[in-house]
């Protein structure tokens, strides 16, 4: 899979003239994070990778990347070179080009494939690496998923019922054969009718029947009528139906939300406890 930002990176390379820099610029330190420098070449690569010409925004993003890299590397994490190579090939494949073509465009700005690989390694560690690191301590319970369903209002209560509908003109015949101890099937046979099996939510039945069905307990038999019919129904069971995303999708969504919150907390702590210096002002 090509990580987010990769296609944007190559798109920027192919349209380099849109964010072109002066060839006379010397690669110099723009900022430092705990004495680790961020260079002009990093800014140029970052503008392509993040798809923006806002240099201040790029510097802030790169500062965060450096902070996360320092944090994870101090805990023994690093990106395998194979992952970087695969990411580079994915970029070329996704955009129907070659590594030579990418190298040629990079060379116009005095950058190399090695520069790109180093940039990718830092960003992979700051995104996929951080996600894997934080996810080890993040869990989503079944209860959290159920509460999220209720919060979104996408859980529908369903009752399964057996229903016998008798025309009002046969009401006298019904009173002669009706026995609350008989099953609906037996009653229907006596009336020459068929029992319907329905799954309904509240409000889907005619009003008199709906009221009786939803006020009765499971296993109860109820009788209701309107101007044209007599309704005899048995409430067989009740269940919940979720109409939104699947459980797996919700769990993944909640997991990503939790990890994002942890990432923001971590970055806030790292920024507070680090020495960050902007050496060169950018426009």
């Amino acid at each position: 899979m090509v990580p987010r930002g990769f296609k944007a990176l190559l798109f920027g390379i192919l349209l380099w003239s849109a964010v072109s820099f002066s060839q006379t610029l010397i690669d110099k330190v723009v900022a430092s994070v705990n004495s680790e420098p961020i260079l002009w070449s990093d800014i140029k690569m970052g503008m392509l990778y993040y798809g923006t010409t806002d240099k201040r925004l790029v510097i802030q993003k790169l500062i965060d990347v450096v902070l996360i890299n320092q944090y994870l590397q101090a805990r023994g994490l690093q990106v395998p070179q194979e992952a970087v190579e695969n990411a580079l090939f994915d970029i070329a494949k996704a955009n129907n080009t070659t590594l030579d073509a990418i190298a040629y465009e990079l060379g116009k700005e005095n950058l190399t494939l090695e520069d790109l690989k180093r940039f990718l390694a830092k960003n992979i560690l700051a995104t996929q690496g951080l996600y894997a690191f934080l996810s080890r301590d993040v869990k989503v319970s079944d209860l959290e998923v159920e509460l999220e369903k209720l919060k979104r209002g996408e859980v529908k209560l369903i009752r399964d019922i057996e229903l016998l509908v008798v025309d009002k003109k046969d009401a006298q015949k019904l009173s002669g054969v009706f026995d609350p101890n008989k099953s609906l099937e037996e009653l229907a046979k006596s009336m020459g009718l068929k029992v319907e099996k329905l799954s309904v939510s509240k409000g889907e039945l005619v009003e008199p029947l709906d009221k009786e069905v939803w006020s009765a307990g499971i296993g109860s038999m109820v009788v209701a009528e309107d101007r044209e019919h007599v309704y005899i129904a048995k409430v067989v069971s009740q269940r919940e139906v979720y109409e939104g995303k699947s459980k797996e999708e919700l769990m993944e969504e909640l997991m990503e939300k939790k990890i994002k919150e942890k990432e923001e907390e971590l970055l806030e702590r790292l920024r507070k406890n680090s020495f960050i210096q902007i050496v060169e002002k950018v426009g």
Side-chain angles (χ1 to χ4, degrees):
M1 182 179 73
V2 180
R4 284 179 289 183
F6 286 176
K7 290 192 71 175
L9 169 61
L10 189 59
F11 181 76
I13 291 174
L14 294 177
L15 297 180
W16 199 287
S17 59
V19 290
S20 181
F21 292 80
S22 169
Q23 292 286 347
T24 60
L25 280 177
I26 299 173
D27 199 12
K28 55 186 176 180
V29 176
V30 177
S32 66
V33 181
N34 298 321
S35 300
E36 182 175 339
I38 294 174
L39 306 175
W40 266 111
S41 57
D42 298 320
I43 305 301
K44 289 195 284 187
M45 197 74 79
M47 290 174 71
L48 298 172
Y49 188 83
Y50 302 122
T52 179
T53 57
D54 187 337
K55 299 184 186 68
R56 289 188 179 88
L57 177 62
V58 171
I59 289 176
Q60 187 54 61
K61 285 182 175 289
L62 292 178
I63 287 172
D64 289 348
V65 167
V66 173
L67 285 170
I68 293 171
N69 270 253
Q70 291 174 350
Y71 177 82
L72 294 179
Q73 287 168 355
R75 285 152 182 79
L77 275 73
Q78 60 182 356
V79 177
Q81 188 59 32
E82 182 182 359
V84 178
E85 297 288 347
N86 289 340
L88 196 54
F89 279 111
D90 285 343
I91 293 173
K93 183 178 179 181
N95 292 272
N96 195 29
T97 190
T98 65
L99 295 184
D100 287 340
I102 295 175
Y104 176 76
E105 295 296 336
L106 288 170
K108 292 180 180 179
E109 294 296 333
N110 296 319
L111 296 170
T112 67
L113 281 179
E114 290 305 312
D115 293 326
L116 177 55
K117 288 178 184 179
R118 283 191 292 271
F119 191 91
L120 290 176
K122 288 183 178 180
N123 278 274
I124 292 172
L125 185 58
T127 53
Q128 299 175 34
L130 180 63
Y131 187 96
F133 179 80
L134 295 177
S135 64
R136 297 183 305 179
D137 300 320
V138 175
K139 306 296 180 190
V140 177
S141 67
D142 289 340
L143 176 59
E144 287 177 295
V145 173
E146 294 305 316
L147 289 174
E148 185 66 20
K149 289 178 181 179
L150 292 172
K151 187 190 300 182
R152 298 185 182 197
E154 295 172 330
V155 177
K156 182 182 286 188
L157 205 58
I158 297 293
R159 284 198 163 188
D160 300 307
I161 66 171
E162 294 177 352
L163 176 64
L164 181 62
V165 181
V166 180
D167 195 291
K168 260 300 182 58
K169 63 181 177 62
D170 295 322
Q172 189 172 352
K173 180 180 179 181
L174 173 62
S175 62
V177 299
F178 182 76
D179 183 343
N181 295 315
K182 285 185 177 180
S183 69
L184 276 184
E185 291 290 347
E186 292 175 311
L187 191 55
K189 187 175 181 180
S190 300
M191 296 291 297
L193 301 172
K194 289 185 177 180
V195 174
E196 299 179 61
K197 295 184 179 182
L198 304 174
S199 297
V200 297
S201 58
K202 198 168 186 179
E204 289 185 346
L205 297 169
V206 294
E207 186 176 352
L209 178 60
D210 195 78
K211 181 179 179 181
E212 294 296 332
V213 165
W214 285 96
S215 60
I218 306 303
S220 300
M221 186 177 291
V222 298
V223 179
E225 61 180 282
D226 57 20
R227 293 180 62 183
E228 298 179 347
H229 300 96
V230 176
Y231 306 96
I232 305 172
K234 181 179 180 181
V235 182
V236 179
S237 61
Q238 179 172 293
R239 53 197 166 89
E240 291 181 348
V241 175
Y242 180 61
E243 298 183 322
K245 295 180 179 179
S246 67
K247 179 180 178 181
E248 292 72 21
E249 289 173 323
L250 268 183
M251 290 191 79
E252 183 178 352
E253 190 175 303
L254 291 173
M255 173 74 80
E256 289 184 355
K257 181 181 178 182
K258 284 188 174 185
I259 291 176
K260 183 63 178 176
E261 289 171 353
K262 280 189 168 290
E263 179 183 344
E264 290 172 355
E265 290 172 4
L266 174 62
L267 274 172
E268 184 177 351
R269 188 168 71 250
L270 292 176
R271 291 176 190 137
K272 183 178 180 180
N273 298 323
S274 299
F275 181 69
I276 301 169
Q277 185 178 18
I278 306 296
V279 179
E280 181 77 16
K281 291 185 178 181
V282 294

